[in-house]
Amino acid sequence: MIKYQRSSALFAEAQKVIPGGVNSPVRAFKAVGGDPIFVKEAKGAYLYDEDGNELIDYINSWGPMILGHAYEPVVNAVVEKAKKGTSFGMPTEIETEIAELAVSMVPNIDKIRFVNSGTEACMSAVRLARGFTGKDKLIKFAGCYHGHSDSFLIQAGSGAVTFGSPNSPGVTEGTAKDTLLAKYNNLENVKEIVAANQGEIACIIIEPIAGNMGCIPPAEGFLEGLRALCDKNDILLIFDEVMTGFRLAAGGAQELLNINADIVTFGKVIGGGLPVGAFAARDEIMNHLAPLGPVYQAGTLSGNPLAMSAGLAMLSELNNSPEIFLSLAEKTQYLHQGITEALDKHKVVHTINRTGSMISVHFSPTPVIDFATAAEVNNETFKKFFHGMLDNGIYIAPSAFETWFITEALTYKDLDKTITAVDKVAATL
Ligand SMILES: *Cc1c(COP(=O)(O)O)cnc(C)c1O
């Protein structure tokens, strides 16, 4: 049994000066009970907490650490850059370097703008879509998360679902009325919404492979159907690739699924663990942004040299070694098979979804294909599973609505350890 005395003490202190003791709600253990773990340092696939416990990490900062923690080329790039000044508010060459590399890796984009988070990227992408089309409304899907800006806090997946606040106080009715809510993997539903709002919809924003209600891949023909619907109705299709970008393939979900979006948003991996987001599109759309065009968007720390050096080092590694994506997918498949066998052995009812290096375990007998089916999970079973895994040194997200993020730093020995833990825990469920 692992002890967490120091973490608990630190959490008590934190709660006095930080709301809920955390700077992002998903870090709290509200959905599973207990106190969150305070991390001291991390290396590769392992976390080392303030009590001296060693944990195999399946969150990986919610995605960015795709090559593992404290990855040397990234750390070195940041350290060297920091010595030369940490922010200028003036153009720097490295911004062009990372932009050129990103544009070369991702299909169907000519220009990219860097911001400081995935939230900012999605918020700005929607503003750009509205400015470009001259229309106001957007369609989002129940269970998809696009950051915490007002327009998106309508059935927003993981964090918001976990905390039972799908419509947050503080979001005005005026804002909510421009957000139309559709069902994931249900093209007919989207068609009906488009028909009922003819000429009013600027964009459809979607996680091309959903990752914030567990991992939910798009049904066959679903994204193609959205693409055709958008083309027919002058609606821009926004792929929110904050999670999937530079994770599922060098070119993200667009490349993996061979389908083009009009605007793509990024975050997580693109910053190599520093606060970075970005949005990108073809020239005709991106040229509407200030200072070229009328759509305003800005940031004092956007394109920050430390953030850009981390991102550039990360993308360079992925670009130079595309076999990483295959290796990640193989590891994830191995884990999938091992977990399935362990849960089956103990007759634990479950569904596992997986795409590339994203995988989610749902304690549900039915296929998980959208928000409604994701919400049918047995949370009591999940709680026990979560704490059982933790007691065995495996750290998964403290919510039944999260994807596990596989990192290349995980060895097959680590995966076997994880599967053994699942076997032990499953016996108790
Ligand atoms: C994490 C995430 C965001 C928000 O990014 P932040 O950097 O947390 O603001 C947006 N969209 C998706 C799909 C995400 O997974």
Side-chain angles (χ1 to χ4, degrees):
M1 206 57 166
I2 290 179
K3 289 276 180 289
Y4 293 104
Q5 279 156 336
R6 188 164 158 74
S7 273
S8 293
L10 289 170
F11 185 52
E13 281 305 303
Q15 282 173 289
K16 294 177 193 163
V17 284
I18 299 170
V22 291
N23 280 312
S24 190
V26 294
R27 295 175 198 171
F29 278 17
K30 234 175 148 174
V32 291
D35 294 342
I37 293 160
F38 277 58
V39 65
K40 191 168 185 181
E41 57 188 285
K43 179 74 191 163
Y46 285 82
L47 294 170
Y48 302 92
D49 73 11
E50 290 283 357
D51 287 277
N53 300 307
E54 179 186 274
L55 303 166
I56 300 182
D57 186 11
Y58 283 98
I59 304 185
N60 286 293
S61 188
W62 306 90
M65 319 316 294
I66 192 169
L67 302 178
H69 291 286
Y71 188 71
E72 248 167 55
V74 173
V75 172
N76 292 342
V78 174
V79 169
E80 286 313 307
K81 210 60 176 171
K83 292 178 187 165
K84 296 175 179 161
T86 56
S87 183
F88 311 110
M90 293 167 71
T92 53
E93 186 177 6
I94 195 170
E95 293 164 80
T96 310
E97 286 176 51
I98 186 173
E100 282 172 351
L101 181 56
V103 166
S104 77
M105 290 170 81
V106 177
N108 201 36
I109 63 170
D110 297 318
K111 290 196 175 93
I112 184 166
R113 174 155 290 172
F114 286 90
V115 294
N116 307 291
S117 68
T119 294
E120 253 190 87
C122 295
M123 178 187 90
S124 307
V126 166
R127 184 182 306 142
L128 178 57
R130 285 172 166 156
F132 181 78
T133 60
K135 296 184 277 185
D136 287 346
K137 292 186 177 171
L138 70 95
I139 294 180
K140 85 168 280 283
F141 294 87
C144 281
Y145 182 64
H146 306 296
H148 65 94
S149 98
D150 287 1
S151 311
F152 302 129
L153 280 184
I154 320 279
Q155 290 205 14
S158 53
V161 173
T162 304
F163 299 100
S165 53
N167 299 286
S168 171
V171 176
T172 66
E173 272 176 39
T175 298
K177 81 168 175 25
D178 283 331
T179 300
L180 306 168
L181 197 62
K183 295 185 180 118
Y184 202 83
N185 276 334
N186 188 333
L187 188 60
E188 283 313 307
N189 177 238
V190 186
K191 283 183 178 165
E192 283 164 20
I193 294 170
V194 169
N197 295 272
Q198 273 301 333
E200 294 185 277
I201 300 172
C203 59
I204 296 177
I205 185 166
I206 187 165
E207 292 178 63
I209 287 120
N212 283 288
M213 44 183 168
C215 170
I216 300 187
E220 198 165 334
F222 177 56
L223 294 177
E224 289 79 0
L226 292 183
R227 179 69 271 172
L229 191 63
C230 285
D231 289 343
K232 204 171 138 207
N233 293 279
D234 291 322
I235 296 170
L236 295 186
L237 182 60
I238 303 177
F239 274 6
D240 178 350
E241 296 225 43
V242 170
M243 192 181 283
T244 54
F246 306 103
R247 167 168 288 280
L248 297 183
Q254 286 196 105
E255 179 188 322
L256 186 76
L257 305 172
N258 191 26
I259 176 163
N260 284 340
D262 297 306
I263 306 179
V264 193
T265 63
F266 299 103
K268 301 194 168 113
V269 175
I270 200 173
L274 270 79
V276 180
F279 59 105
R282 298 183 303 275
D283 276 327
E284 48 164 337
I285 298 174
M286 289 306 270
N287 291 349
H288 275 248
L289 272 184
L292 268 187
V295 177
Y296 196 70
Q297 190 281 324
T300 300
L301 291 174
S302 293
N304 170 270
L306 300 193
M308 295 298 97
S309 63
L312 181 60
M314 177 64 93
L315 297 197
S316 301
E317 294 287 309
L318 297 173
N319 190 49
N320 294 337
S321 314
E323 67 278 4
I324 286 172
F325 298 105
L326 191 63
S327 168
L328 280 166
E330 284 170 0
K331 286 178 182 176
T332 313
Q333 185 183 3
Y334 182 84
L335 188 67
H336 184 163
Q337 191 175 340
I339 295 177
T340 302
E341 284 167 10
L343 293 176
D344 281 347
K345 180 174 147 195
H346 298 286
K347 301 197 166 48
V348 178
V349 169
H350 70 277
T351 297
I352 297 179
N353 286 354
R354 169 176 58 90
T355 300
S357 56
M358 293 160 59
I359 182 170
S360 57
V361 181
H362 305 262
F363 295 104
S364 168
T366 49
V368 175
I369 56 158
D370 60 7
F371 179 64
T373 47
E376 279 169 22
V377 296
N378 185 328
N379 201 48
E380 287 310 309
T381 307
F382 178 78
K383 272 191 204 175
K384 273 203 216 159
F385 181 70
F386 171 82
H387 284 290
M389 292 299 282
L390 196 53
D391 284 339
N392 283 281
I394 314 289
Y395 189 53
I396 62 170
S399 159
F401 295 100
E402 303 289 359
T403 298
W404 304 24
F405 298 101
I406 305 309
T407 147
E408 186 61 0
L410 283 162
T411 63
Y412 280 88
K413 206 172 141 210
D414 295 326
L415 298 175
D416 284 336
K417 245 179 168 167
T418 307
I419 293 163
T420 303
V422 172
D423 182 43
K424 261 171 84 178
V425 175
T428 72
L429 295 178

